[in-house]
Amino acid sequence: QTSWDVGTLVLGRGVSVYGGFGNVYVETYFGDNLEYDWKNYQSARVSYEVVGQTIAVSVDNQDRQSVDVSGYNKHIEYIGEYSLSDSDEYYFTRAVIKSGFYGLNLLVGYESFPNQDAKSLYGVMWTFDGEYPGSFLSAEFSGEGDLLLKINADLGVLKLGG
């Protein structure tokens, strides 16, 4: 299954500034990172998109850098990331192969993180996009025989009151 290190939400107190200029998108964060207890944390990511394919470079003030590539089309979505840092070397790749059959998809991938053996990933996913895209239920397995169940339900923008 995908490591908990992949796609981790950054918890912090700070300001995020982001925006796009044509096919270029810039994201920044300035503040504290609560997960690692870093004060005055700063990060930036610059990406370039062409026809559903994106390449990006990320850096932060903790001497971590990475490059990632992602994309999608009617039949497949993929992402791969590689660390450029000597102190935090990792890589992963992952793909969702869309069957076109009632929202059922196949998951495949490979990952290697510090202090862990490299392992293959596989599983199944059922997407139930409906009114809010991005909702899914998945069962993910690794070459080590473990199982991880995930559910993601996008509720859209919630309105309180009348």
Side-chain angles (χ1 to χ4, degrees), residues 39-109:
K39 304 296 181 199
N40 300 314
Y41 178 69
Q42 300 171 23
S43 65
R45 181 176 189 267
V46 177
S47 59
Y48 181 76
E49 180 182 358
V50 174
V51 192
Q53 315 306 307
T54 302
I55 185 164
V57 176
S58 302
V59 298
D60 68 15
N61 66 343
Q62 301 298 315
D63 295 325
R64 300 184 313 165
Q65 306 87 34
S66 64
V67 62
D68 66 84
V69 177
S70 62
Y72 63 91
N73 63 35
K74 182 178 176 182
H75 303 289
I76 191 167
E77 295 179 20
Y78 68 89
I79 184 168
E81 185 170 320
Y82 180 77
S83 169
L84 302 173
S85 307
D86 292 333
S87 62
D88 190 29
E89 236 178 88
Y90 68 88
Y91 62 88
F92 71 87
T93 184
R94 180 182 174 112
V96 176
I97 302 166
K98 304 173 190 176
S99 71
F101 184 72
Y102 297 106
L104 292 176
N105 308 295
L106 297 175
L107 306 173
V108 294

